[in-house]
Amino acid sequence: MAFQLKRPILVGGLGLTVSLWLLQGLHSSAHVGGSIVWSAIALGSGAWWLRQLAQKPLDLGLPARPVDRAAVDQEMATVEVLINQLAAEFPATASDATEAIANLRLRLAQLPAELERKQARLSIMGGKSVGKTTLTRLLASNWTTPQAEGQSSALATTVSTGAERTMDLGATDAAEVQSADLVMFVTTGDLTDPEFQAIEQLLNRHQRVLLVFNKQDQYLPDERLLVLQHLRERLSDRLNPDDVVAIAAQPAPVKVRQHQADGSVQERLEQSTPAVDALAERLKYVLANEGQQLILSTVMRQASLLKADVLTELNRLRRDRALPLIEQSQWIAAATAFANPVPSLDLLATAAINAQLIMDLGEIYQQKFSLQQAKTAAGAMGELMVKLGLVELSSQAIAPLLKSNTVTYVAGGLLQGVSAAYLTRMAGLTLVEYFQEQSQFANQTADSPFQLERLTQKLKAVFQANQRGAFLQTLVKQTVTRLTSQTSASTA
């Protein structure tokens, strides 16, 4: 590991545990250790818990539209800082480091040019057989954008031909949609649930959307109005009613009867003219009035996606460094709980181990904590585990796996040891998940308090993900092997 970690809490905490253990042997009262432990936890965490009541939940979404040039520049500057941080933390021996970082820098370098472009990119999205290809061809061949007032040049329209293909409505990460300034979502009637979810995902990514009701010619006039009204009502809280338009990109042929001079009647099918005026007018209006804003929003979205990619790689590296520390801490907790005959003192030892783990992981994730902050956070996390019932649930899950052991006192010690290892690992993995999420916020410092709601959610998710029988069996087997081998070595 490229850095040295000092562990004053771990050394001091375990030392205090041993001292209290010896003191427990000199006094008959069994309440000394428990009083000291719970008093320390209460004093350390009481004020911390009260402060959380005023904390607002984290907003994990992208900045809401509209965005300005300054916000986009700030986002790109943040990405550059993160790329430099990634380059600094990449192991020097990593063979793919140079290429990966060079690719990220190239993507960042392309964003300023995107801000200067004068063309708005459109993408057409929808389910099967809704008329995407016909509409794309129609717009590309017959429609152009007039010059917008106040602009030196017109915003020409380029229709993304890559979006013509039928798309899986659940897969909204397609490059042509991500890079589009405006998405026309095509449907042929009332929205299905997958269609509604797809539109919701687009809007949640702050993409500009027009909902296009195609093939309206297949409905009676009264039915067309009802469908259009229902579409607008269903998305009334997310879309302007004018952004929901009805068209007929390829109307069905009309049968025409022509009476001849000799009295005969000839019939023929004539292709109707496409009815896309409503869509054309709305597109013209949006591009004339929101053209530059659309481009700013797209570049902001691209910068945010790039930032997410950098953070993913950065968090992968940090997780690789964090897991050995978590594993080391879980074995220290297991050995301490196994050797310690006083259950209340296990809490003090576990609190010291978790406090040191918070400091170690905080250093890895560039969120350093003072000794007092780490102690306070560890006490609060321990109380959170108790409140959520995780301590009892872990013992209930682990105990049946230790029934094969026939030595009573060893079995009891093993239960404590395995439980301590398990809970320490849960605490460590929770902190990793929490710090990874927090790393996207540039203003996080050592003085930034823990977000209780987010920490609770992470702890629940990590606990649920690690209740699998195979995981517990592996952990029990590893812990029993370690502890029994240590016991045999001490006896020898």
Side-chain angles (χ1 to χ4, degrees):
M1 189 169 295
F3 56 94
Q4 297 294 326
L5 294 173
K6 298 180 180 179
R7 299 186 155 190
I9 300 180
L10 185 58
V11 175
L14 295 183
L16 179 59
T17 302
V18 174
S19 300
L20 289 175
W21 181 7
L22 295 175
L23 181 65
Q24 186 75 18
L26 298 176
H27 296 275
S28 58
S29 176
H31 301 289
V32 175
S35 300
I36 293 176
V37 171
W38 287 110
S39 297
I41 290 179
L43 290 174
S45 61
W48 182 86
W49 275 75
L50 290 175
R51 286 201 304 270
Q52 306 312 309
L53 298 178
Q55 295 297 321
K56 296 180 180 180
L58 293 179
D59 181 8
L60 302 181
L62 295 170
R65 290 190 305 111
V67 297
D68 55 22
R69 178 64 182 264
V72 177
D73 290 340
Q74 179 60 45
E75 187 77 351
M76 290 191 295
T78 300
V79 174
E80 184 175 11
V81 170
L82 289 172
I83 292 176
N84 292 336
Q85 184 68 45
L86 177 63
E89 294 190 25
F90 240 124
T93 56
S95 58
D96 58 342
T98 303
E99 181 179 355
I101 293 174
N103 181 58
L104 294 172
R105 293 193 191 279
L106 177 61
R107 290 172 60 187
L108 177 62
Q110 293 170 343
L111 294 182
E114 282 283 290
L115 288 170
E116 304 303 325
R117 61 183 168 86
K118 298 299 181 182
Q119 289 186 323
R121 288 194 294 263
L122 276 61
S123 183
I124 298 177
M125 181 180 174
K128 294 182 178 180
S129 304
V130 294
K132 298 186 301 296
T133 302
T134 301
L135 181 58
T136 298
R137 184 171 59 249
L138 187 64
L139 292 178
S141 61
N142 298 322
W143 189 77
T144 57
T145 306
Q147 182 167 330
E149 182 179 355
Q151 290 184 331
S152 59
S153 61
L155 280 172
T157 303
T158 302
V159 178
S160 173
T161 57
E164 291 182 32
R165 68 177 185 274
T166 298
M167 295 178 59
D168 180 0
L169 290 174
T172 57
D173 293 328
E176 64 270 11
V177 175
Q178 291 280 16
S179 62
D181 301 313
L182 184 147
V183 178
M184 289 174 282
F185 193 96
V186 184
T187 186
T188 56
D190 198 7
L191 293 176
T192 64
D193 187 62
E195 288 176 325
F196 181 79
Q197 296 299 326
I199 295 174
E200 283 281 292
Q201 291 180 28
L202 291 171
L203 295 173
N204 289 339
R205 290 206 304 260
H206 305 291
Q207 290 198 262
R208 189 67 168 88
V209 176
L210 297 183
L211 178 57
V212 181
F213 167 34
N214 191 22
K215 301 185 180 181
Q216 65 165 336
D217 59 297
Q218 296 181 2
Y219 295 81
L220 296 175
D222 290 344
E223 293 176 337
R224 298 175 194 173
L225 294 176
L226 288 175
V227 173
L228 183 62
Q229 180 181 354
H230 194 263
L231 289 173
R232 288 172 171 169
E233 290 177 351
R234 190 169 185 187
L235 293 169
S236 60
D237 59 334
R238 303 299 302 272
L239 285 181
N240 186 313
D242 292 337
D243 289 335
V244 183
V245 297
I247 67 169
Q250 189 176 13
V254 177
K255 182 182 292 186
V256 177
R257 291 184 177 182
Q258 186 174 17
H259 294 268
Q260 303 298 316
D262 59 1
S264 63
V265 177
Q266 292 185 351
E267 293 184 351
R268 68 178 184 276
L269 292 177
E270 288 188 358
Q271 184 63 48
S272 301
T273 303
V276 295
D277 290 348
L279 176 59
E281 289 300 320
R282 189 57 184 169
L283 284 172
K284 291 176 183 178
Y285 178 85
V286 170
L287 293 179
N289 292 274
E290 305 176 28
Q292 190 58 41
Q293 180 61 52
L294 293 177
I295 292 175
L296 284 172
S297 297
T298 296
V299 177
M300 172 64 86
R301 186 169 59 253
Q302 291 172 330
S304 298
L305 290 171
L306 177 56
K307 181 174 72 172
D309 290 343
V310 177
L311 283 173
T312 297
E313 187 63 27
L314 189 58
N315 285 329
R316 183 187 66 80
L317 289 175
R318 290 172 173 177
R319 188 182 183 91
D320 289 343
R321 291 159 58 189
L323 289 179
L325 289 176
I326 295 174
E327 186 171 349
Q328 184 184 50
S329 297
Q330 79 183 35
W331 298 138
I332 294 175
T336 304
F338 177 68
N340 197 334
V342 183
S344 61
L345 298 184
D346 293 343
L347 297 174
L348 181 59
T350 302
I353 293 168
N354 286 342
Q356 186 63 60
L357 188 57
I358 289 173
M359 290 194 67
D360 293 347
L361 295 180
E363 183 171 347
I364 289 176
Y365 284 89
Q366 304 294 311
Q367 298 180 41
K368 298 181 180 180
F369 297 91
S370 66
L371 295 176
Q372 186 56 45
Q373 287 173 325
K375 292 176 183 178
T376 302
M381 178 168 263
E383 186 171 347
L384 184 59
M385 284 187 172
V386 174
K387 285 181 176 293
L388 294 176
L390 304 188
V391 177
E392 182 178 357
L393 288 174
S394 65
S395 298
Q396 293 175 352
I398 293 170
L401 301 177
L402 293 172
K403 287 184 177 180
S404 58
N405 197 296
T406 56
V407 183
T408 304
Y409 82 93
V410 173
L414 286 176
L415 177 59
Q416 288 179 288
V418 176
S419 296
Y422 178 70
L423 292 174
T424 300
R425 187 171 187 85
M426 295 303 98
L429 294 178
T430 298
L431 291 167
V432 166
E433 295 294 329
Y434 178 81
F435 286 146
Q436 285 185 173
E437 183 178 273
Q438 293 296 303
S439 64
Q440 66 182 300
F441 301 101
N443 60 347
Q444 291 296 311
T445 65
D447 296 328
S448 300
F450 273 71
Q451 300 288 338
L452 178 61
E453 181 179 350
R454 298 304 301 170
L455 190 66
T456 302
Q457 292 174 0
K458 295 296 181 186
L459 182 58
K460 289 180 179 179
V462 168
F463 186 78
Q464 291 174 358
N466 289 274
Q467 292 186 87
R468 300 183 305 273
F471 168 77
L472 285 175
Q473 288 178 357
T474 300
L475 181 65
V476 168
K477 183 178 180 180
Q478 291 176 341
T479 307
V480 170
T481 301
R482 280 177 171 267
L483 297 182
T484 53
S485 62
Q486 291 176 8
T487 302
S488 301
S490 299
T491 303

